[in-house]
Amino acid sequence: MDTHTPHGRLAFFPISFFSVVMGLSGLTIAWEKAQQVFQLDWGITPWLVGLTVGVFSLLLLMYLSKLWRHPQRVAQELAHPVKLSFFPTISISLLLIAAALQGMNVSFVLPVWAAGILLHLALTLYVVNKWMHHEHFQIQHINPAWFIPAVGNVIVPVAGVPLGFVDVSWFFFSIGMFFWLILMTLVFNRMIFHQAIDVFLLPTLFILIAPPAVGFIAYMRLENELDALARMLYFFGLFLTLLLLSQFGRFAKLKFGLPWWAYSFPTAAITIASFVMYEKSHVMAYQWIATGLLAMLTALVTLLVVLTLRAVFKHEICKPGH
């Protein structure tokens, strides 16, 4: 343990570390979907699922250790206007792992999914209560990370519908889509009429892609019909992807930090959505889009893993003020 700080590095272990699991889960599900579409089995799913579950277990153990040894630090994160939104990444990780396990071990899907929805409901209620009865939130505190609780609700139908919990899935889907519309308005109001988002948090702009992309995937689970709403969700997600990719130069200049993992899951979401779009429409253009996005996603997550490991070994993460 690092002795350069009075509490050691564990005290500064950030809740945002769980965004790594979201990125790895998204990559896993994207490759599962690609193999399904191309009717191939490259045998990589067990390895990706194993890696994702292993990383989640390690991070959960680390954060529980922080809760045990430094509860005041966890309380500070829960009271923080930005870090608060990252707590649902734990329950979202469980929901994504449940979705990834569907193609492997069905017996584990239900307990993991059930734990995910119960924890996410509790965290959503907690976060929304904080929003409603706050004493210190300012307009500059809102950023795309505030979407995380809403996105988690929309993920529920991905594994929930195949498990037979249709009404439960509609319940969570409705919550997620409702808050997406509200938060989208608030975030754009902040970006257009108020001070710019902090440079360190700029990668979180990619989170804007996730609600419509995941919403499309979830809606196709619920309705299984490529209707007007489904098309609107997919194409808006695709537009946001193009909008943010057009700003590549701006993002490339940023110094690496954990917020970079915000690039990964939204990219995975629009990749999976494009594969679903191809499945339902049989238009080859969507297959080409999905394949290109999958290649980009794979390269991106590989880069993020390398940069994260390097930052960990160089003690650039888990330090005061991070």
Side-chain angles (χ1 to χ4, degrees), residues 4-307:
H4 291 95
T5 62
H7 300 286
R9 296 177 68 193
L10 181 64
F12 305 101
F13 185 85
I15 186 64
S16 56
F17 233 130
F18 284 93
S19 59
V20 173
V21 183
M22 291 180 60
L24 293 175
S25 299
L27 178 67
T28 301
I29 299 169
W31 272 103
E32 285 182 342
K33 194 64 183 177
Q35 292 175 92
Q36 179 184 336
V37 168
F38 293 116
Q39 298 182 341
L40 296 170
D41 184 3
W42 292 309
I44 61 174
T45 298
W47 294 97
L48 289 174
V49 171
L51 174 64
T52 302
V53 173
V55 171
F56 174 74
S57 301
L58 175 62
L59 295 181
L60 185 61
L61 178 62
M62 293 286 288
Y63 204 80
L64 289 175
S65 298
K66 175 182 176 177
L67 177 62
W68 175 260
R69 298 184 59 183
H70 307 285
Q72 74 284 358
R73 295 285 180 179
V74 176
Q76 288 173 5
E77 286 189 304
L78 278 169
H80 195 278
V82 177
K83 296 177 182 179
L84 169 66
S85 296
F86 285 94
F87 277 88
T89 57
I90 301 175
S91 51
I92 292 172
S93 296
L94 288 170
L95 293 170
L96 291 171
I97 289 172
L101 285 171
Q102 282 184 314
M104 288 184 54
N105 195 321
V106 179
S107 60
F108 284 106
V109 175
L110 180 57
V112 174
W113 179 81
I117 65 167
L118 292 174
L119 179 59
H120 197 78
L121 179 59
L123 288 170
T124 300
L125 290 170
Y126 180 83
V127 171
V128 174
N129 268 289
K130 279 286 187 180
W131 289 346
M132 292 174 63
H133 305 289
H134 70 89
E135 296 179 353
H136 62 286
F137 290 162
Q138 303 294 329
I139 188 65
Q140 65 268 22
H141 291 148
I142 191 168
N143 64 82
W146 282 38
F147 280 99
I148 294 174
V151 172
N153 286 289
V154 177
I155 291 171
V156 169
V158 177
V161 173
L163 287 170
F165 295 94
V166 177
D167 284 347
V168 173
S169 296
W170 271 112
F171 172 76
F172 281 94
F173 179 81
S174 302
I175 296 169
M177 298 306 291
F178 178 76
F179 277 106
W180 168 50
L181 296 174
I182 295 174
L183 292 169
M184 193 71 173
T185 305
L186 293 175
V187 168
F188 265 86
N189 175 66
R190 182 258 165 97
M191 290 192 296
I192 295 172
F193 297 110
H194 300 274
Q195 66 189 80
I197 291 176
D198 186 273
V199 172
F200 187 68
L201 289 173
L202 273 180
T204 63
L205 286 173
F206 268 71
I207 297 175
L208 297 175
I209 300 169
V214 178
F216 169 76
I217 298 166
Y219 184 74
M220 295 308 295
R221 286 286 201 190
L222 290 162
E223 289 294 294
N224 196 30
E225 182 179 347
L226 194 58
D227 57 18
L229 176 58
R231 291 179 183 275
M232 288 176 62
L233 289 171
Y234 173 75
F235 287 122
F236 187 56
L238 189 61
F239 165 75
L240 290 172
T241 304
L242 293 172
L243 176 65
L244 291 166
L245 289 179
S246 71
Q247 302 174 36
F248 175 80
R250 184 187 300 271
F251 293 113
K253 296 176 183 177
L254 300 177
K255 182 181 178 181
F256 174 75
L258 281 181
W260 274 39
W261 278 93
Y263 297 139
S264 59
F265 177 71
T267 303
I270 194 63
T271 301
I272 299 163
S274 297
F275 275 121
V276 174
M277 191 69 174
Y278 167 70
E279 277 188 319
K280 300 301 180 182
S281 67
H282 303 291
V283 175
M284 283 298 299
Y286 300 120
Q287 186 185 104
W288 285 107
I289 292 172
T291 303
L293 288 171
L294 180 62
M296 183 177 72
L297 172 66
T298 304
L300 173 62
V301 173
T302 302
L303 175 64
L304 290 174
V305 169
V306 172
L307 292 176

